[in-house]
Amino acid sequence: DNTFVVKYVLANSLNCVVLLTALLIILFAYMLMVFERPIDSGTLGNFANCVWLIIITMTTVGYGDEFPITVLGRCVAVMASLAAVVMLAISVNLVVSKLTLSRSEAKVMEVIDTISLRDDLREAAAVVVQRWTRAYSSYMRQSRSGGGKGGKEKSGPAIKSAMRMNIDLRAAVLSDVELLECITVFQDISESYFSQRLE
């Protein structure tokens, strides 16, 4: 079928679209020159001016410095503007089809995003562990030296119950703003990572 061949060529060949656009410009400019030549006062008897007018009309700029006077010349300008709409649609379709990722390219991009998210997740986890270790070490130093609240106790190092130490440790960790920020970042990255894995 000939229409299939034309559709395929227009949808996949940028060279063909550029050539067709150039041929339309030349054709409309020649027609405009033929129709406007009998008018002595018009400047559209010159082919270069006709090409200028058709290009300006087809790109929808429309300076207004040149314009057809005859009825047939105006019809040619209208046909050129309508042809430009069609050529613009073909060009946009061609560009979109060339820039759209194929299925294999989309899979590669998905794998790259997954690897990047996994690396970000590992880095965020390492930062959380590092901040928690610092907060824990700081708490242990304070508790061995007698804590900061009451100074040193009278009877030497205090023996705390395991439950009380856990409560104090939790309070010390929750008061560390940097650690809480790192945990929030880790949580956001892990949620996006696992939601991407589920897709």
Side-chain angles (χ1 to χ4, degrees):
D1 192 10
N2 293 337
T3 57
F4 172 74
V5 173
V6 171
K7 286 180 189 177
Y8 180 80
V9 168
L10 288 178
N12 293 307
S13 175
L14 182 61
N15 295 336
C16 180
V17 172
V18 170
L19 179 66
L20 183 61
T21 304
L23 288 176
L24 285 175
I25 290 172
I26 292 170
L27 174 69
F28 286 133
Y30 182 74
M31 290 171 58
L32 188 63
M33 183 184 70
V34 168
F35 294 142
E36 292 291 320
R37 185 172 276 175
I39 306 299
D40 292 334
S41 61
T43 59
L44 293 177
N46 185 358
F47 184 71
N49 291 339
C50 292
V51 170
W52 169 256
L53 175 65
I54 294 299
I55 290 174
I56 294 303
T57 302
M58 289 183 82
T59 56
T60 67
V61 175
Y63 285 126
D65 56 346
E66 301 283 343
F67 54 91
I69 296 172
T70 63
V71 174
L72 290 176
R74 291 180 180 178
C75 289
V76 169
V78 168
M79 287 189 301
S81 63
L82 294 176
V85 171
V86 173
M87 294 309 294
L88 180 64
I90 291 171
S91 301
V92 167
N93 181 35
L94 180 64
V95 169
V96 168
S97 68
K98 292 293 183 188
L99 294 180
T100 302
L101 296 176
S102 67
R103 182 177 172 159
S104 59
E105 292 169 339
K107 282 290 189 187
V108 168
M109 291 302 296
E110 184 179 328
V111 168
I112 289 172
D113 289 343
T114 302
I115 290 171
S116 175
L117 269 175
R118 187 182 64 203
D119 292 344
D120 291 345
L121 186 63
R122 285 181 181 170
E123 184 178 331
V127 171
V128 167
V129 170
Q130 182 184 27
R131 298 280 185 197
W132 187 88
T133 304
R134 285 182 186 170
Y136 179 76
S137 299
S138 173
Y139 168 74
M140 292 307 289
R141 268 188 261 119
Q142 285 180 357
S143 67
R144 286 189 188 130
S145 67
K149 294 183 179 176
K152 290 190 177 180
E153 301 197 5
K154 298 176 183 174
S155 61
I159 300 174
K160 295 184 179 180
S161 68
M163 184 179 289
R164 184 65 196 164
M165 280 186 71
N166 284 339
I167 292 171
D168 290 345
L169 178 60
R170 185 178 302 137
V173 167
L174 291 178
S175 65
D176 189 350
V177 178
E178 292 179 352
L179 176 60
L180 295 177
E181 289 174 354
C182 294
I183 291 172
T184 304
V185 169
F186 174 76
Q187 184 178 6
D188 292 342
I189 293 174
S190 64
E191 285 176 0
S192 61
Y193 176 73
F194 288 117
S195 66
Q196 185 183 26
R197 293 291 297 257
L198 291 176
E199 291 177 352

